[in-house]
Amino acid sequence: FFFFLAMTVLELIRRSLRLIGALGVGEAPSAEETSDCILALNQLISSWSLNALTVYTKLNSKYTLTNGLPYFTWGIEPDPLAVVQPDFNSPRPDTIFRAYRIDPGGSYELSQIGKEHYDAISEKNAFGVPDRFYYEPDYPWGKVYLYPNPDSSCEIEFSVFKKIDKIEYPDDEIMYPPGWDRALAYNLALEVAPEFGLMPSELVVKNAMESLANAKRINIKPKISQTEISSLSLMSGGSFNINTGEG
């Protein structure tokens, strides 16, 4: 679930245009052609979102955390005069990919744990140097739980995934699970072909349909079972990484 690849919008556009013969190998689209393709890509992503297919981008966000808080809220309060404001005032991420504690001596990755693992921790009020975290993507604000709770101010850098609402620039980066690059390239090729006065080949149409069907299957996220071993590991004070399966 957390294994994503990346490409820029321009890389995607060039591949899609080559698939329909609008570009040759090594050629680049004009500024006007790139703008038209970005518009078509936004329309494609918007239509996919209606079918629960989402395209992501990765962002790095760095925050200084203070001690004494059971969790940290992440989101945007539309009313700047509201009494309660989120701790991290930026769009709520759908997923936190990684988190790093930034110390004078270097950067240290925190282990990510799930809800059941966090609930199994008996000493949730313990203070110390955080070495793991749990993210609950509540609405409208997400909640970041650190363990142990920071015993002093510390700086944490988060790598997060955010759903792309609108692509603006050719160098914007798209994050996707393995296999999605094919679905994006072939289906964007179908989307833009009429604007270039071109008819996509039967092979391109076939690959677009097959790759989109595969992307839909990838998008169905299986429920991950929790093991008693990992819960016992946390209760005994050890750490367990649900991404690697290692303690």
Side-chain angles (χ1 to χ4, degrees):
F1 174 72
F2 290 102
F3 179 41
F4 275 65
L5 304 172
M7 65 177 161
T8 66
V9 171
L10 183 57
E11 288 172 338
L12 171 60
I13 290 173
R14 292 180 65 174
R15 183 181 177 191
S16 296
L17 294 183
R18 287 196 298 267
L19 289 172
I20 58 174
L23 283 183
V25 177
E27 293 182 343
S30 67
E32 183 178 358
E33 290 170 338
T34 300
S35 179
D36 290 342
C37 288
I38 288 177
L39 177 60
L41 180 57
N42 280 320
Q43 292 172 342
L44 181 64
I45 291 174
S46 178
S47 67
W48 281 9
S49 67
L50 298 177
N51 294 301
L53 291 173
T54 50
V55 180
Y56 291 87
T57 186
K58 188 177 78 169
L59 303 172
N60 289 334
S61 302
K62 189 180 297 184
Y63 296 99
T64 299
L65 311 184
T66 56
N67 59 321
L69 297 176
Y71 59 82
F72 301 87
T73 54
W74 195 330
I76 291 180
E77 170 54 55
D79 182 4
L81 300 180
V83 176
V84 180
Q85 295 287 335
D87 298 303
F88 308 155
N89 188 15
S90 65
R92 176 187 70 93
D94 299 286
T95 304
I96 296 179
F97 180 48
R98 287 195 173 102
Y100 300 88
R101 188 182 72 250
I102 310 300
D103 292 341
S107 175
Y108 304 91
E109 184 171 0
L110 277 63
S111 296
Q112 182 166 187
I113 60 177
K115 176 175 173 54
E116 291 188 18
H117 298 95
Y118 181 78
D119 290 343
I121 298 175
S122 57
E123 297 290 336
K124 291 185 177 62
N125 295 324
F127 286 86
V129 178
D131 60 12
R132 68 198 81 166
F133 75 97
Y134 159 56
Y135 178 59
E136 189 174 334
D138 280 352
Y139 185 84
W141 298 348
K143 294 178 181 177
V144 180
Y145 296 82
L146 297 180
Y147 185 82
N149 297 315
D151 57 2
S152 61
S153 294
C154 64
E155 191 173 46
I156 305 290
E157 182 174 38
F158 298 96
S159 291
V160 306
F161 288 148
K162 180 183 179 297
K163 292 177 184 176
I164 292 180
D165 298 317
K166 183 180 179 181
I167 291 172
E168 297 184 14
Y169 305 106
D171 57 354
D172 283 351
E173 193 173 52
I174 296 176
M175 307 296 299
Y176 55 90
W180 270 59
D181 55 339
R182 192 164 179 260
L184 283 164
Y186 276 91
N187 283 274
L188 180 59
L190 296 189
E191 193 83 10
V192 301
E195 299 185 36
F196 285 81
L198 297 170
M199 180 69 69
S201 68
E202 291 184 3
L203 180 60
V204 170
V205 174
K206 176 177 177 290
N207 287 343
M209 295 175 62
E210 288 182 352
S211 59
L212 182 57
N214 290 335
K216 288 180 178 179
R217 283 192 288 271
I218 293 173
N219 201 63
I220 300 174
K221 305 176 182 63
K223 184 176 181 180
I224 300 174
S225 61
Q226 307 295 335
T227 65
E228 294 181 5
I229 293 176
S230 60
S231 295
L232 290 172
S233 175
L234 285 179
M235 293 174 69
S236 64
S239 64
F240 183 83
N241 191 321
I242 62 172
N243 297 322
T244 63
E246 299 176 349

